[in-house]
Amino acid sequence: MISVFGSANMDLVAYVSEAPKRGETVTGQRFRTVPGGKGANQAIAAARAGARVAFLGAVGDDGFGAEMRATLSEAGVDVRGLRQVPGSSGIAHIVVDDAGGNSIIVVPGANGTITGPSGDDLAAISRSRALLLQLELPMEAVVAGAQAAQVAGVPVVLTPAPARPLPAELVGAVTTIVPNEHEAAAITGVTGAEAALEALLEQVEEVVITLGSDGALYGSRSGRRLRVPAVKVKAVDTTAAGDTFVGALAVARHSEGMDMADALRFASAAAALSVQREGASTSMPTRIEIENSMP
């Protein structure tokens, strides 16, 4: 089983020809609501890629919360660890342009009430093959989750987004960190993916830097280095492509024990499928789709 301790947001997605600049108003083409949040996205991605998945997080007592719970459950995710708290669920306001690029504003809502894993969460984490974490929960909760997994001997996979300074107690509990190129630069202060990878390896055992259409770069403290090309496709919407990559990578690497090179190819194929579809959770491919698309 893979556990995901993270955020659940309702994505409010506006599609435009070109994203507005500061002070500018543009006319949108259409609008939709899609269950998302980096934690929920990674849970759904991992479940669709073939793993048993438990989601640990919180939603509000509003309609968005009920819809997100239903979406996770329908994807095969165990939602017994999804708390309901008074107030609003988290939301993400997303603008997607015709080139498939996006900009996102996240309002934490119920996610901001989580200060750490509950007793039931700790039990789920201890039974897991890996714990997936992101930075859309309060930092104290993320640190507590990572340390609980470390104590239980469970690998911790961290997506450091939104990018922010990482406390030493978090970094010390992380097994694999998976930033994109911009996040890697923001965390390390180093320009260039290769240089950022080396800087991150001073803190973490394994590093995967996602490079969008340029693929992914991997390094470990053992000295192994890999560069895996992306599957060439026309992007429609890149929302949650990184979460799809991480969810699929965790399945391949930790649930199934694939060699890292094969796991990266599996994750890249999953991400390539997701960018050809609109939305976050709605864009994530099934196991059969991933296998059929691998080069």
Side-chain angles (χ1 to χ4, degrees):
M1 179 180 76
I2 290 174
S3 289
V4 182
F5 185 41
S7 59
N9 295 323
M10 183 60 73
D11 292 345
L12 312 178
V13 190
Y15 294 89
V16 298
S17 296
E18 186 174 342
K21 302 176 181 64
R22 184 175 183 179
E24 180 183 18
T25 299
V26 300
T27 299
Q29 299 160 339
R30 55 204 168 84
F31 172 81
R32 64 191 302 210
T33 59
V34 183
K38 295 194 75 61
N41 287 343
Q42 292 182 7
I44 291 172
R48 289 188 177 162
R52 288 195 308 116
V53 181
F55 181 70
L56 316 172
V59 293
D61 56 3
D62 53 8
F64 286 163
E67 186 175 348
M68 286 187 284
R69 182 182 298 276
T71 297
L72 284 158
S73 184
E74 289 165 6
V77 176
D78 183 341
V79 293
R80 287 176 292 180
L82 180 57
R83 317 170 196 178
Q84 183 182 82
V85 300
S88 63
S89 298
I91 66 99
H93 180 270
I94 303 174
V95 176
V96 180
D97 62 31
D98 280 351
N102 64 68
S103 57
I104 304 174
I105 300 172
V106 175
V107 181
N111 300 303
T113 68
I114 300 177
T115 57
S118 67
D120 288 341
D121 294 342
L122 293 173
I125 290 169
S126 69
R127 297 192 301 269
S128 301
R129 290 182 177 270
L131 174 66
L132 305 190
L133 295 170
Q134 319 79 36
L135 299 181
E136 288 184 343
L137 295 183
M139 185 61 79
E140 63 180 312
V142 178
V143 171
Q147 291 178 330
Q150 183 184 40
V151 168
V154 175
V156 175
V157 180
L158 173 67
T159 303
R164 66 181 76 174
L166 302 179
E169 59 266 34
L170 173 59
V171 173
V174 170
T175 309
T176 307
I177 191 168
V178 191
N180 64 28
E181 190 169 11
H182 304 293
E183 292 155 358
I187 293 167
T188 63
V190 175
T191 303
E194 289 83 0
L197 182 140
E198 299 302 330
L200 285 168
L201 284 174
E202 294 178 6
Q203 306 175 67
V204 180
E205 182 180 335
E206 287 190 316
V207 177
V208 179
I209 299 179
T210 58
L211 305 171
S213 60
D214 289 328
L217 185 65
Y218 167 81
S220 72
R221 285 183 174 174
S222 69
R224 191 178 187 190
R225 301 290 184 271
L226 295 168
R227 182 181 283 271
V228 175
V231 180
K232 299 302 180 184
V233 297
K234 179 175 174 54
V236 172
D237 182 354
T238 59
T239 305
D243 295 329
T244 303
F245 182 96
V246 172
L249 180 67
V251 172
R253 183 65 167 162
H254 295 291
S255 283
E256 301 180 10
M258 287 188 196
D259 178 78
M260 182 55 83
D262 293 331
L264 289 169
R265 283 191 285 269
F266 183 85
S268 295
L273 287 167
S274 76
V275 302
Q276 297 176 73
R277 305 167 180 172
E278 293 180 347
S281 60
T282 53
S283 73
M284 294 169 177
T286 64
R287 176 60 177 251
I288 292 175
E289 290 174 322
I290 299 170
E291 289 179 341
N292 288 342
S293 71
M294 288 187 66

